[in-house]
Amino acid sequence: MDETKIWQTIDSERAATADLLAGLTDVEWTYPSLCEGWTVREVAAHLSLAHRVSAGTAFKAFVRARGSFNRMVDQTAREEARRPAAELVAELRGAVGLHRLAPGQSLKNALMDTMVHTQDIALPLGVERHMPLDAAVVAADDLWRIGFPFHARRKLAGHRLVATDTDWAVGEGAEISGPIEALVMLLAGRTATIPRLTGITV
């Protein structure tokens, strides 16, 4: 995928997720997401932030989090989640077409982050959403490469991951196979799609 296609996919994911969020009830906003400790609301808040965070704002948040990246992400999402649901939807919808990356974020990482978090919201709500195959391959490659914060290569050492719906495979060892989108979620540390995979159990 070239840069233009990646941004088009991010825009499409953001727009569809905004539409999904706009139709939720107050109770559904409180559902636990696939992100540990976050409800749908915190994930939505996190997604609404990426295009608005400046380097200066990110640095201040990092200092406030005492140098912990994960704590910074958690704190900023929880703070943003205090806003009305309609504002979070509007922020996410307003991000469509604004091709800005968060400080230190690569374009491939932004694609992966958007697609994984979309599933973090949709799956617990029972909403069926599918990742585009070419974008899922890019996300899977990125997750396998980056290490922090998911450390997929270390956690899945001794396994070979094989997609059954597209040409993608990594690793060596006992085979874990299934749809590429289910493998992406596994690489991102989620267990919800494990039932769709063979060669691994919860």
Side-chain angles (χ1 to χ4, degrees), residues 32-55:
S33 75
L34 299 186
C35 289
E36 186 176 355
W38 279 5
T39 66
V40 167
R41 193 180 199 92
E42 277 82 41
V43 179
H46 173 72
L47 285 173
S48 77
L49 274 168
H51 66 290
R52 297 186 286 122
V53 177
S54 67

Side-chain angles (χ1 to χ4, degrees), residues 24-100:
L24 298 185
T25 66
D26 290 344
V27 172
E28 287 172 326
W29 277 87
T30 69
Y31 277 24
S33 75
L34 299 186
C35 289
E36 186 176 355
W38 279 5
T39 66
V40 167
R41 193 180 199 92
E42 277 82 41
V43 179
H46 173 72
L47 285 173
S48 77
L49 274 168
H51 66 290
R52 297 186 286 122
V53 177
S54 67
T57 299
F59 178 74
K60 290 177 183 177
F62 190 68
V63 170
R64 191 168 67 250
R66 304 190 302 281
S68 168
F69 174 80
N70 288 332
R71 188 182 297 120
M72 177 189 71
V73 171
D74 184 65
Q75 288 177 350
T76 54
R78 291 183 186 280
E79 290 167 2
E80 191 70 8
R82 298 190 187 110
R83 299 177 64 183
E87 289 187 12
L88 297 178
V89 173
E91 290 287 4
L92 184 56
R93 203 184 302 282
V96 176
L98 295 180
H99 296 169
R100 302 171 188 159

Side-chain angles (χ1 to χ4, degrees), residues 106 108-109 138-148 152-153 187:
S106 72
K108 290 180 179 179
N109 187 251
V138 172
D141 283 338
D142 194 52
L143 283 161
W144 188 254
R145 177 188 61 81
I146 59 175
F148 178 83
R153 277 175 297 170
L187 289 163

